[in-house]
């Protein structure tokens, strides 16, 4: 008796009285043989239930979901109120051709200067951009076929490193050469399909890219699910002439944030090969950060684009839920996941985003997306728009990081931005962050279990990696009432955020609470379960997934060990243009850039 807790209706919560509660995650860190032993225990019918119940009690999950009266009705997927149009933008035809949207995107960019976009001994390091490749092709300085040979060599070189660093799970050099030859011929005929023609792009292993299998980082999904055609987003890239190099490595089933994968080997961080890339889009971020591909497609259900982008020093865009068509991915039945791009610059993110955007017919009916648009970065209005923006910052949350360099560097970037553009940084409060995290794990976990349980019950469960096998007993412990309670918490969080967005245009945070963690040697063979690290990596991630908000991670510097740090910008629903505009402005102010320790110059224009 006496356990029952009653939450105030969300409209009656006094924000002035809200105290910051980090809600630390309690769970053991286990690797190697100890992890194997723990999995045996947790999969035992009686003992496993007791262990899971203890972990849930430690983390107050049952208290939140079963012992609390939550007065709001459930929100089973993001619901968005109509938003004001964004200023100084170019509208795109969602139902038009991908190539036409990309051409419109090019016109949004600042004028291209071929001489200012490359590194030299006297200038800071810069990645080659998509427009650099396009210029080189058009000026006959090189061809897609020539670049393809550099790309193939680099991918094979990464796989042969000691220790091996497998960036791709499925890779066919002859298919890459065939695509490159077709692109080369189009340039010879003066008929490239778009600025993306001849641009090398990797596809995460949970997104269909025919004829490659989609395994989601497992060894068996191709046995129960055949790939017959490209995912919608991949087909849109192919229509633009992009060269699809293969299926990029990932944390198995997207169930982790480090990128560890004993099935195929673990992709390693190009800035330090002894450290994780972050996950689950580990291969996509690493292949872009290493300079091999200009862009990659990833999925993001719990930071899986933004976390590795931050740790690897790339840009990662998580779009509004439903802005891109997720059909043809392994996670196309969920309510928190999207498909989005990873690239080395905001400019390249804009070009790839323009190619892949477009809601599914069902989402157009249920979500009522606003007309997609891009910031006109070539417009004289751009500077005045930046100066008018209001940036929201929850200081206690912002500073709650494992690596102190992160909050310092992000604060410095924010101050420089405010001084340069004259915009306001306003203090905000976000209540119930711990409840939001619980609602997210119940949502994504229950949806993953629903999708995969038929195969796991059919004998495939024993073929999962050990850290995935730790997750599913937890996910299967959630009841129907737990799921409904989580969706009630989701509605509360949505209310708080929509109220915040009445006073600010975006919310700014560090992307992660720590820089790239060291890979324990014992994790390479058998995997790792480290919920503390997961909590640090996901600290600022959840709202964009649970609430379907757009968010972008942009690199802003390095910690004392030379590891990349990302700043996250979270926008209003359908507010991609605003966060892209801000990300481009933060990128332009960045002083410190470093070439990754493992980097390949595939254009070789110097």
């Amino acid at each position: 008796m006496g356990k029952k807790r009653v939450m105030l209706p969300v409209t009656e919560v006094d924000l002035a009285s809200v105290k910051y509660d980090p809600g630390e995650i309690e769970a053991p860190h286990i690797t190697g043989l100890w992890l194997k032993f723990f999995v045996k225990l947790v999969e035992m019918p009686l003992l496993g239930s007791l262990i899971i119940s203890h972990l849930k009690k430690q983390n107050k999950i049952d208290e939140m979901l079963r012992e609390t009266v939550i007065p709001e009705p459930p929100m089973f997927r993001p619901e968005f109120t109509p938003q004001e149009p964004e200023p100084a933008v170019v509208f795109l035809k969602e139902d038009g051709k991908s190539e036409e949207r990309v051409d419109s995107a090019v016109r949004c960019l600042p004028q291209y200067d071929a001489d200012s976009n490359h590194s030299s001994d006297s200038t800071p390091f810069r990645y080659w951009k998509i427009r650099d490749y396009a210029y080189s092709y058009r000026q006959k300085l090189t061809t897609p076929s020539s670049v393809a040979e550099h790309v193939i060599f680099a991918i094979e070189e990464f796989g042969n490193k000691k220790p091996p660093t497998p960036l791709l799970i499925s890779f066919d050099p002859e298919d890459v050469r065939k695509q490159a030859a077709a692109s080369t011929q189009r340039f010879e005929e003066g008929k490239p399909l778009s600025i993306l023609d001849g641009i090398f792009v990797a596809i995460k292993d949970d997104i269909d890219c025919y004829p490659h299998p989609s395994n989601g980082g497992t060894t068996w999904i191709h046995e129960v699910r055949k790939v017959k055609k490209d995912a919608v987003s991949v087909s849109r890239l192919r229509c633009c002439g992009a060269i699809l190099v293969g299926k990029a490595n990932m944390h198995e089933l997207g169930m982790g944030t480090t990128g560890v994968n004993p099935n195929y080997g673990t992709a390693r961080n190009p800035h330090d090969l002894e450290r994780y890339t972050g996950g689950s889009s580990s291969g996509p971020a690493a292949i872009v950060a290493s300079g091999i591909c200009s862009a990659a497609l990833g999925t993001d259900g719990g930071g899986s684009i933004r976390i590795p982008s931050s740790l690897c020093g790339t840009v990662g865009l998580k779009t509004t839920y439903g802005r891109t068509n997720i059909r043809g991915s392994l996670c196309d039945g969920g309510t928190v996941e999207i498909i989005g791009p990873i690239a080395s610059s905001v400019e390249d993110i804009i070009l790839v985003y323009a190619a892949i955007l477009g809601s599914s017919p069902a989402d157009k009916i249920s979500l009522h997306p606003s007309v997609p648009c891009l910031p006109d970065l070539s417009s004289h209005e751009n500077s005045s728009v930046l100066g008018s923006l209001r940036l929201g910052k929850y200081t206690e949350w912002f500073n709650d990081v494992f690596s102190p360099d992160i909050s310092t560097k992000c604060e410095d970037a924010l101050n420089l931005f405010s001084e340069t553009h004259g915009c306001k940084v306003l203090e905000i409060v976000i209540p119930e962050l711990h409840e939001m995290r619980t609602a997210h794990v119940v949502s994504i976990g229950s949806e993953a279990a629903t999708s995969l349980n038929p195969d796991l019950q059919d004998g495939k469960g024993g073929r999962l990696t050990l850290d995935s096998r730790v997750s599913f007993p937890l996910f299967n412990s959630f009841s129907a009432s737990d799921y409904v309670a989580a969706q009630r918490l989701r509605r509360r969080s949505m209310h708080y955020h929509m109220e915040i967005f009445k006073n600010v245009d975006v919310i700014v945070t560090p992307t992660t609470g720590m820089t790239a963690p060291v890979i324990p040697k014992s994790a390479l063979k058998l995997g790792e379960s480290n919920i503390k690290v997961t909590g640090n990596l996901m600290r600022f991630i959840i709202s964009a997934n649970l609430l379907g908000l757009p968010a972008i991670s942009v690199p802003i510097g390095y910690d004392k060990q030379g590891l990349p740090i990302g700043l996250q910008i979270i926008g209003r629903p359908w507010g991609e243009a605003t966060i892209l505009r801000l990300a481009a402005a933060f990128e332009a102010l960045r002083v410190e850039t470093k070439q990754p320790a493992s980097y390949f110059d595939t254009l070789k224009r110097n």
Side-chain angles (χ1 to χ4, degrees):
M1 297 295 290
K3 287 185 177 180
K4 178 178 172 181
R5 186 168 71 110
V6 179
M7 298 181 95
L8 278 175
V10 70
T11 54
E12 297 177 18
V13 173
D14 178 13
L15 296 184
S17 66
V18 170
K19 299 259 192 293
Y20 176 67
D21 176 15
E24 292 300 325
I25 301 174
E26 301 294 334
H29 173 205
I30 321 172
T31 65
L33 292 174
W34 283 110
L35 179 59
K36 196 170 186 178
F37 178 65
F38 183 74
V39 167
K40 286 188 179 296
L41 294 179
V42 85
E43 289 183 342
M44 290 180 179
L46 183 58
L47 185 58
S49 297
L50 292 174
I51 293 171
I52 293 298
S53 293
H54 174 70
L55 289 173
K56 288 165 74 175
K57 184 176 181 181
Q58 271 191 309
N59 291 282
K60 301 181 179 179
I61 291 176
D62 283 348
E63 176 186 317
M64 268 184 244
L65 301 176
R66 300 184 180 183
E67 299 168 9
T68 302
V69 176
I70 308 167
E72 284 67 38
M75 184 174 74
F76 291 104
R77 67 204 301 256
E79 298 173 7
F80 305 127
T81 54
Q83 302 295 311
E84 292 292 323
E86 296 169 277
V89 297
V90 172
F91 292 98
L92 303 178
K93 293 182 180 178
E94 186 172 10
D95 295 323
K97 292 182 177 180
S98 302
E99 311 95 292
E100 293 173 352
R101 289 196 300 272
V102 171
D103 287 345
S104 296
V106 173
R107 292 192 290 273
C108 291
L109 301 177
Q111 186 173 354
Y112 177 70
D113 180 356
D115 295 325
S116 66
N117 281 330
H118 67 273
S119 309
S120 68
D121 292 339
S122 60
T123 61
F125 169 74
R126 291 286 186 273
Y127 284 99
W128 294 117
K129 296 180 181 179
I130 286 172
R131 287 197 288 177
D132 295 320
Y133 285 87
Y135 173 84
S136 295
Y137 296 155
R138 284 166 171 77
Q139 296 299 314
K140 303 189 186 307
L141 301 176
T142 189
T143 67
S145 288
S146 295
V147 175
E149 294 307 317
H150 301 316
V151 168
I152 291 166
F153 172 81
I155 290 170
E156 292 175 343
E157 181 78 4
F158 250 84
N160 293 330
K161 278 183 179 290
K162 300 295 181 194
T165 306
L167 299 176
L168 298 178
I169 286 175
S170 180
F171 172 55
D172 180 355
E174 291 311 310
D175 179 58
V176 174
R177 290 186 174 105
K178 182 179 176 182
Q179 293 179 68
S183 178
T184 297
Q185 184 173 348
R186 290 192 292 270
F187 278 100
E188 288 173 352
E189 295 170 352
K191 298 177 180 177
L193 298 176
S194 77
I195 198 99
L196 296 180
D197 206 334
I199 301 302
F200 292 80
V201 180
I203 307 299
K204 188 179 178 182
D205 193 40
D206 60 353
I207 305 170
D208 291 345
C209 179
Y210 186 81
H212 299 278
S214 291
N215 269 310
T218 72
T219 59
W220 55 266
I221 283 184
H222 69 281
E223 298 171 13
V224 298
R225 181 185 180 277
K226 303 298 181 185
V227 174
K228 298 178 181 177
K229 61 180 180 178
D230 290 335
V232 173
S233 56
V234 174
S235 69
R236 290 171 177 167
L237 284 176
R238 205 185 287 274
C239 287
C240 293
I243 297 172
L244 309 173
V245 301
K247 302 302 291 297
N249 205 345
M250 63 178 286
H251 202 120
E252 187 184 66
L253 296 173
M255 291 290 181
T257 57
T258 61
V260 67
N261 190 323
N263 292 328
Y264 299 96
T266 295
R268 291 165 179 267
N269 196 312
H271 289 269
D272 182 346
L273 294 179
E274 298 303 313
R275 294 179 182 270
Y276 282 123
T277 57
S280 62
S281 303
S282 51
I287 205 167
V288 171
S290 64
I292 298 172
C293 288
S294 296
L297 289 191
T299 53
D300 192 319
S304 292
I305 286 173
R306 291 160 289 150
I307 290 170
S309 292
S310 180
L311 270 53
C312 291
T314 60
V315 184
L317 174 65
K318 187 264 165 199
T319 60
T320 305
Y321 176 78
R323 176 61 91 190
T324 54
N325 190 331
I326 201 167
R327 185 161 54 86
S329 73
L330 300 185
C331 52
D332 60 8
T335 67
V336 296
E337 297 94 345
I338 59 91
I339 290 175
I342 294 173
S344 61
S345 67
V346 176
E347 172 179 313
D348 290 354
I349 286 284
I350 287 173
L351 295 174
V352 177
Y353 167 62
I356 67 171
L357 68 79
S359 304
S360 70
D363 284 342
K364 286 178 186 176
I365 294 170
S366 60
L367 296 175
H368 310 293
S370 61
V371 178
C373 58
L374 295 173
D376 190 350
L377 301 180
S378 65
S379 166
H380 296 301
E381 290 181 75
N382 189 52
S383 180
S384 61
V385 171
L386 286 169
S388 70
L389 293 174
R390 301 159 301 168
L391 283 59
K393 176 191 172 197
Y394 186 7
T395 298
E396 286 184 277
W397 190 35
F398 192 99
N399 293 333
D400 186 13
V401 292
F402 180 78
S403 309
D405 292 347
I406 292 177
S407 54
T408 301
K409 289 286 186 177
C410 289
E411 182 77 37
D412 290 346
L414 202 53
N415 289 338
L416 178 60
F417 183 87
S418 180
E419 291 166 10
T420 302
H421 295 288
C423 62
K424 294 180 180 178
V425 179
L426 303 177
E427 185 66 24
I428 60 172
V429 173
I430 308 175
E432 300 174 18
L433 290 169
H434 190 38
E435 285 82 353
M436 182 165 62
R437 183 169 64 199
T438 298
H440 176 263
V441 74
V442 173
S443 299
I444 194 170
S446 299
E447 290 163 12
T450 300
S451 173
L452 290 164
N453 271 344
D455 293 316
L456 303 186
Q457 298 298 323
D458 197 33
K460 301 296 192 294
R463 294 170 63 182
L464 293 175
T465 56
L466 295 175
D467 62 314
S468 295
R469 288 169 65 180
V470 169
S471 297
F472 276 98
L474 171 64
F475 296 162
N476 284 315
S477 76
F478 298 137
S479 66
S481 63
D482 291 337
Y483 187 77
V484 172
Q487 308 321 304
R488 291 175 182 268
L489 292 174
R490 180 187 258 186
R491 187 173 294 279
R492 289 177 70 89
S493 291
M494 182 66 92
H495 173 86
Y496 292 133
H497 281 74
M498 292 304 100
E499 289 298 302
I500 289 167
F501 283 127
K502 290 178 180 178
N503 300 310
V504 302
D505 299 291
V506 298
I507 298 168
V508 288
T509 72
T511 305
T512 60
M514 68 187 304
T515 49
V518 172
I519 305 172
K521 286 186 171 58
S522 57
L524 292 172
K525 185 177 180 181
L526 295 175
E528 176 182 23
S529 178
N530 191 339
I531 303 301
K532 290 279 189 184
V533 164
T534 296
N536 284 320
L537 292 175
M538 294 184 69
R539 185 172 307 284
F540 306 103
I541 290 298
I542 299 302
S543 61
N545 294 109
L546 186 69
L547 309 180
L549 304 173
I552 192 167
S553 177
V554 61
I556 48 89
Y558 305 87
D559 69 3
K560 290 184 178 66
Q561 299 173 86
L563 300 171
I565 293 170
L567 180 81
Q568 178 179 228
I569 306 165
I570 305 169
R572 294 187 178 102
W574 317 117
E576 283 85 0
T578 296
I579 64 172
L580 288 167
R581 187 191 308 279
L582 280 164
F586 273 104
E587 182 181 67
L589 292 174
R590 186 182 175 195
V591 177
E592 193 180 12
T593 58
K594 289 177 21 179
Q595 180 174 302
S598 293
Y599 172 76
F600 290 85
D601 181 354
T602 56
L603 185 56
K604 297 186 183 295
R605 208 173 80 185
N606 289 337

